[in-house]
Amino acid sequence: MRGRYQRHLLILIAVGALLFQAGCIGTAARYDVREQPTLATAKPDQALVYVYRTSRRAPGSVVEIYWKGKIVGVLPSSTYFHFYAEPGTQLVGAHLGANAGSTSVSLKAGEVYYLKQDFSFVGVTTLEAVAAEEG
């Protein structure tokens, strides 16, 4: 009788470990982490867009950022990156597995923009354009 309970316990532990591992969200994107911050300069024919994440929610998760349907960068906790974009109104999205949020931004050539990635009260990933003072 005792051996039977031990087998059930081992099976439960194995199933729990598999469920835990399956529940972890990963990213297929590759990225570099720089030791020193890099500040980019605006280009006269393109907009410079900084995307940053200060939230400590989901600390082990990497949020993927999409521009025009293509991944432009990823945000581990407390990081940022920048990219150049053509002027105009575009939709930029943030994805963490099936959890996705987006915002529309109107860009002008030669200007610098800041997008803050965060999570709503219920844990949905969000993106918002913020002023340069906050960014």
Side-chain angles (χ1 to χ4, degrees):
M1 191 83 142
R2 185 174 176 193
R4 183 176 177 190
Y5 288 118
Q6 286 177 339
R7 266 186 270 136
H8 288 293
L9 181 60
L10 287 175
I11 290 170
L12 283 174
I13 291 171
V15 169
L18 288 173
L19 289 175
F20 176 76
Q21 191 174 24
C24 294
I25 298 172
T27 179
R30 300 185 66 121
Y31 57 93
D32 294 322
V33 176
R34 294 188 174 116
E35 296 298 320
Q36 298 295 320
T38 57
L39 297 175
T41 56
K43 294 181 179 181
D45 60 335
Q46 293 183 316
L48 173 58
V49 181
Y50 280 96
V51 186
Y52 69 98
R53 176 181 175 190
T54 57
S55 174
R56 300 249 186 241
R57 292 183 181 164
S61 300
V62 176
V63 177
E64 297 174 333
I65 305 298
Y66 289 82
W67 181 264
K68 296 177 90 176
K70 295 183 180 177
I71 191 165
V72 291
V74 295
L75 291 171
S77 293
S78 302
T79 61
Y80 75 94
F81 70 91
H82 67 271
F83 66 97
Y84 292 97
E86 60 277 355
T89 301
Q90 298 290 335
L91 189 66
V92 59
H95 297 261
L96 179 57
N99 182 351
S102 63
T103 190
S104 178
V105 291
S106 183
L107 305 177
K108 294 180 183 174
E111 299 287 321
V112 180
Y113 297 88
Y114 300 89
L115 299 175
K116 179 181 181 180
Q117 186 280 317
D118 206 344
F119 296 92
S120 71
F121 180 71
V122 293
V124 176
T125 187
T126 62
L127 270 177
E128 70 173 310
V130 297
E133 297 80 34
E134 185 179 344

